[in-house]
Amino acid sequence: MKFFVDTASLDQIKEANELGILDGVTTNPSLMAKEGITGQDNIYAHYQKICEIVDGDVSAEVISTDFEGIIKEGEALSKLAPNIVVKVPMIKDGVKALSYFRDNGIRTNCTLVFSAGQAILAAKAGATYLSPFIGRIDDISWDGIGLIEQIAEIYAIQGYETEILAASIRNAKHIVDAARAGADVFTCPLDAAMGLLKHPLTDIGLEKFLADHKKGNG
């Protein structure tokens, strides 16, 4: 399963990349604003800086919600760097745009997905990635991981090539559960991914090893 860090912070992206486990980056307007990046020129320049750090795919989100606007933005974003993936919302004009981008060789990430039906539409329209928001689904007492399982089963049966990108991940358990459910990619803040490192027995074991070494070596 691939790991994409969900941030616009260059420092976090560099840190994740230095760990040797980073496969890509996802961003959105909220994350850009959090880093103080505003205005189209500044946002586009920031995407290029991210692409200079990361060899893998970088999802760059369109703001428009109409077909013509999505196409115009998506084509401009795709020209920023060869590893840019255009992030398109799961709406009617978004599905139409996914088909257009597929036919014109532009890779896409269909975002704001909350149902298996939406996942089918995105796959049929040729989305490269599909982003179910499992944390937000859990927030309304539905089953985010269950949705990943459902989509993975449908894609396997139907032979769809769209990769399932588990998004809105809140903790390390989400990551493990998404992996078991069949997600191809998970995206989350670096802190959530680093939660995979933590286990009390690791800390206890390391403390004991170091204490024993100190006893035996003065």
Side-chain angles (χ1 to χ4, degrees):
M1 187 167 66
K2 299 175 188 175
F3 164 46
F4 291 0
V5 66
D6 192 38
T7 186
S9 165
L10 297 181
D11 288 340
Q12 285 194 18
I13 292 167
K14 288 175 183 177
E15 183 178 353
N17 198 42
E18 288 169 359
L19 286 169
I21 62 171
L22 186 65
D23 298 296
V25 175
T26 57
T27 61
N28 58 48
S30 297
L31 292 172
M32 283 288 185
K34 185 177 180 180
E35 296 300 315
I37 311 299
T38 58
Q40 180 175 294
D41 290 345
N42 291 331
I43 290 172
Y44 281 15
H46 198 73
Y47 279 131
Q48 289 177 315
K49 290 178 183 178
I50 292 172
C51 289
E52 290 172 2
I53 300 171
V54 181
D55 292 330
D57 291 341
V58 176
S59 286
E61 188 162 351
V62 300
I63 304 301
S64 297
T65 56
D66 64 288
F67 177 74
E68 290 77 13
I70 293 171
I71 297 307
K72 183 179 179 180
E73 280 188 62
E75 289 181 333
L77 287 167
S78 70
K79 293 175 182 177
L80 295 176
N83 52 332
I84 286 284
V85 175
V86 179
K87 205 171 182 182
V88 179
M90 171 42 73
I91 55 176
K92 183 178 179 180
D93 278 11
V95 172
K96 185 178 178 182
L98 290 172
S99 300
Y100 173 90
F101 289 137
R102 173 198 61 203
D103 295 342
N104 287 273
I106 295 174
R107 295 175 305 133
T108 54
N109 175 1
C110 184
T111 190
L112 292 171
V113 172
F114 296 95
S115 75
Q118 291 176 329
I120 291 171
L121 286 177
K124 286 186 64 64
T128 310
Y129 296 101
L130 177 89
S131 292
F133 278 37
I134 61 176
R136 294 194 192 182
I137 293 172
D138 288 352
D139 287 345
I140 60 170
S141 299
W142 288 2
D143 185 0
I145 295 299
L147 177 60
I148 298 288
E149 292 174 343
Q150 193 175 16
I151 296 171
E153 181 181 9
I154 291 169
Y155 280 14
I157 291 170
Q158 299 299 330
Y160 293 139
E161 296 182 358
T162 300
E163 293 189 53
I164 303 168
L165 194 164
S168 186
I169 282 175
R170 306 287 170 76
N171 51 56
K173 186 176 186 301
H174 262 163
I175 298 170
V176 174
D177 289 346
R180 293 184 65 196
D184 300 290
V185 189
F186 72 94
T187 186
C188 65
L190 184 58
D191 286 349
M194 291 302 92
L196 294 169
L197 282 170
K198 298 176 183 177
H199 196 286
L201 292 180
T202 301
D203 297 336
I204 292 168
L206 180 60
E207 184 179 352
K208 186 177 187 308
F209 292 157
L210 294 175
D212 289 345
H213 173 79
K214 187 176 181 179
K215 287 178 184 177
N217 294 274

